[in-house]
Amino acid sequence: YVQSLLGFKKEDHAAFDWQSGIVKTHGKRERELPLIPGTFDNLSQQLAIRCSAKLGTDTMQFSVVKRSKQKDYVFERMGEETIDTDLGPLDTIVYRRVQDTDERTTRFWVAPELNHMLVRLHQTEKKDSLDVTLELSQVTFD
């Protein structure tokens, strides 16, 4: 997984060895973690979110290997909303990440008419006075 945003580049690698029952990670540091069934990496979690949204799940919980650690993420459905995008108005389902702190809020919108593709993500961080919105502006299906 490679992410580059606002001049910062993050790289995270996870190799799932199902026979040995371990996840080998390297990014900032190398580490071996026990492989618990149902664990995702950062990219496969995004696919799992789409699949769960398609099933109409109200609460999603995922164990994710990220930055050489295993973290649990919980998302809950907030409702439905029609949003204006570069693609035109889209009917969406809105989710938020459930966290123990109010220092960061994360919400995202998926569009059922686009196979539950992520069309908007909004994140606010109080500590860094950061307010970021990412939005899908173009999509092509083959």
Side-chain angles (χ1 to χ4, degrees):
Y1 177 81
V2 178
Q3 177 184 17
S4 181
L5 181 65
L6 303 173
F8 297 100
K9 185 176 181 182
K10 295 179 184 177
E11 225 172 296
D12 200 21
H13 302 269
F16 289 70
D17 186 341
W18 292 99
Q19 287 185 335
S20 300
I22 58 172
V23 180
K24 295 178 183 178
T25 70
H26 62 93
K28 282 188 173 181
R29 61 183 171 169
E30 292 186 19
R31 194 166 190 192
E32 287 188 2
L33 303 168
L35 179 51
I36 300 165
T39 299
F40 296 91
D41 64 9
N42 209 27
L43 289 175
S44 61
Q45 177 202 15
Q46 293 175 23
L47 180 58
I49 287 171
R50 283 181 69 189
C51 291
S52 293
K54 192 171 186 173
L55 292 172
T57 306
D58 288 333
T59 303
M60 305 177 215
Q61 184 167 349
F62 304 102
S63 181
V64 179
V65 173
K66 185 176 182 180
R67 296 188 193 119
S68 300
K69 296 179 185 173
Q70 191 152 354
K71 296 177 70 174
D72 290 326
Y73 290 87
V74 178
F75 304 97
E76 70 179 12
R77 183 182 174 137
M78 296 179 64
E80 297 178 8
E81 185 178 335
T82 301
I83 61 172
D84 290 319
T85 71
D86 288 349
L87 304 171
L90 291 173
D91 293 330
T92 65
I93 304 168
V94 186
Y95 289 90
R96 76 174 185 97
R97 180 174 170 203
V98 178
Q99 299 182 88
D100 295 335
T101 177
D102 65 349
E103 289 298 309
R104 175 187 294 165
T105 60
T106 305
R107 294 189 326 158
F108 61 91
W109 292 253
V110 297
E113 67 189 84
L114 297 176
N115 199 20
H116 293 81
M117 183 179 292
L118 175 72
V119 292
R120 180 182 288 167
L121 181 131
H122 181 88
Q123 185 163 311
T124 305
E125 293 191 28
K126 289 182 181 177
K127 181 176 120 182
D128 299 326
S129 299
L130 185 66
D131 190 12
V132 177
T133 301
L134 303 174
E135 189 171 289
L136 182 69
S137 62
Q138 183 178 0
V139 64
T140 304
F141 293 104
D142 289 332

